Amino acid sequence: MLGSSPRPRTDQSPVRERYMCSAASLIGSYVSWTDRAGDGMRHCEASGHGWTCDRSSERFPLTRGLCKTHYMQQRRGRELAPVDLARSVADGGRVCAFSGCGRAVSARELCTGHYQQCVKGQPLSPLRKKRGNGVFRKMIERGIVECLGCGEAKPLAEYSLLNASGAPRPYCKPCNAERARLGHYKVTRGFVDLLLAFQQGRCAVCARPHAGGRAMDIDHDHACCPGPGSCGACVRGLVCNNCNLHGLGWYEALPPELRTFDLLDEYLADPPAKRLRAELALTGA
Ligand SMILES: [Zn+2]
Ligand SMILES: [Zn+2]
Ligand SMILES: [Zn+2]
Ligand SMILES: [Zn+2]
Ligand SMILES: [Zn+2]
Ligand SMILES: [Zn+2]
């Protein structure tokens, strides 16, 4: 990372590279500016705690790989921060550098919760919002409830009901489904985000860039966990739906002498999730 503000660092803390913990610096090193979004355009190189700059060269001229805002941050010797953070700094208030967090900065550009995650060496993930029952009840009365996952205010119809009493779940239907899916594979949102960055945002088999929208399929070893879910340890990688449905299942069912496809053999022999786990174990994240 760029910038040059020396900060005191305690040796006990797992925080590396200025205010980045190993998890965040891992994200930084996996995401390269060359075609990061898979759209054939150059993107601003600035990245940090759970954020990357999404400005592309098409709309924002890049200087030494950085958009103007980030280039100026670097020239002024500041630590790079998301563009909206830079704006809020100009307004006098500082918000957590984890994208979408919005809480006030407590230490090292992070809110208390994210700083705790950082110090523990965990991949940064959205914090659970605390909200009182009264606030939740008022939302239900108004018929618009803020989802604890995506943070969007959505009408009651977009929540499934918790029980016969008719109270909505605190997570909207898509967020609830995603939580159930991650639970099925026993992986955390943070791990999946790191894995996607580790795979450069691409399918681990065919390397097609992830287009957004539908999340990539989580592939696991059916020899370990034959059902639809996983024990967590046998998750192999993130693959596109096409490779998952029409590639891997078919290939793995072939007799061994017919399995002669290098691309798939390499993936199966040394899947990205395994490499990422090894690397995380090395860095103590
Ligand atoms: Zn960190
Ligand atoms: Zn930028
Ligand atoms: Zn935060
Ligand atoms: Zn949601
Ligand atoms: Zn694929
Ligand atoms: Zn398993």
Side-chain angles (χ1 to χ4, degrees):
M1 286 295 302
L2 315 147
S4 64
S5 60
R7 278 162 186 266
R9 199 165 69 176
T10 54
D11 284 330
Q12 303 94 306
S13 105
V15 175
R16 290 152 212 205
E17 294 190 21
R18 303 203 181 85
Y19 64 87
M20 285 168 77
C21 66
S22 50
S25 52
L26 273 176
I27 295 182
S29 58
Y30 294 145
V31 180
S32 80
W33 61 268
T34 40
D35 201 10
R36 181 164 56 202
D39 56 7
M41 281 187 278
R42 292 174 59 145
H43 283 249
C44 173
E45 269 179 77
S47 66
H49 257 299
W51 63 274
T52 51
C53 181
D54 57 7
R55 292 181 158 185
S56 73
S57 55
E58 194 180 55
R59 289 194 48 216
F60 298 91
L62 302 183
T63 311
R64 299 192 188 176
L66 296 171
C67 70
K68 195 173 163 212
T69 307
H70 284 125
Y71 180 66
M72 288 315 289
Q73 287 179 6
Q74 190 202 357
R75 278 205 50 184
R76 291 187 187 119
R78 297 217 183 113
E79 286 180 5
L80 296 188
V83 172
D84 31 337
L85 174 64
R87 250 186 248 123
S88 81
V89 169
D91 295 344
R94 295 168 70 80
V95 294
C96 175
F98 183 76
S99 72
C101 172
R103 292 173 183 80
V105 163
S106 152
R108 297 180 198 238
E109 309 303 329
L110 296 171
C111 68
T112 319
H114 281 121
Y115 179 64
Q116 284 307 319
Q117 290 182 350
C118 178
V119 168
K120 286 179 198 150
Q122 298 166 346
L124 299 185
S125 57
L127 300 174
R128 282 187 81 126
K129 278 185 204 162
K130 276 190 203 129
R131 89 180 152 201
N133 267 335
V135 176
F136 192 43
R137 227 178 295 123
K138 275 215 184 84
M139 287 179 177
I140 297 170
E141 275 167 29
R142 271 190 298 137
I144 306 270
V145 169
E146 197 179 293
C147 168
L148 279 190
C150 59
E152 281 174 45
K154 295 181 168 181
L156 277 177
E158 306 209 15
Y159 294 80
S160 54
L161 303 181
L162 202 50
N163 51 32
S165 77
R169 287 176 188 276
Y171 296 89
C172 71
K173 284 175 187 168
C175 285
N176 209 49
E178 178 63 2
R179 283 165 61 81
R181 188 175 85 106
L182 296 176
H184 242 64
Y185 291 98
K186 297 211 170 54
V187 285
T188 62
R189 170 87 271 152
F191 182 75
V192 170
D193 287 347
L194 267 181
L195 187 54
L196 187 63
F198 187 69
Q199 297 180 189
Q200 314 270 343
R202 291 163 185 275
C203 168
V205 173
C206 70
R208 196 176 301 164
H210 176 49
R214 187 200 156 107
M216 278 221 260
D217 289 4
I218 298 171
D219 171 52
H220 79 282
D221 183 359
H222 287 254
C224 174
C225 295
S230 157
C231 61
C234 65
V235 164
R236 292 187 295 211
L238 303 173
V239 296
C240 72
N241 188 246
N242 190 41
C243 286
N244 194 22
L245 287 187
H246 309 297
L248 285 167
W250 164 78
Y251 189 72
E252 285 188 275
L254 286 176
E257 65 273 20
L258 292 181
R259 275 188 253 143
T260 56
F261 192 13
D262 288 349
L263 191 69
L264 286 165
D265 285 340
E266 275 161 33
Y267 169 77
L268 293 172
D270 194 20
K274 189 176 134 198
R275 276 181 279 136
L276 175 61
R277 274 191 217 98
E279 209 159 312
L280 290 174
L282 268 182
T283 59

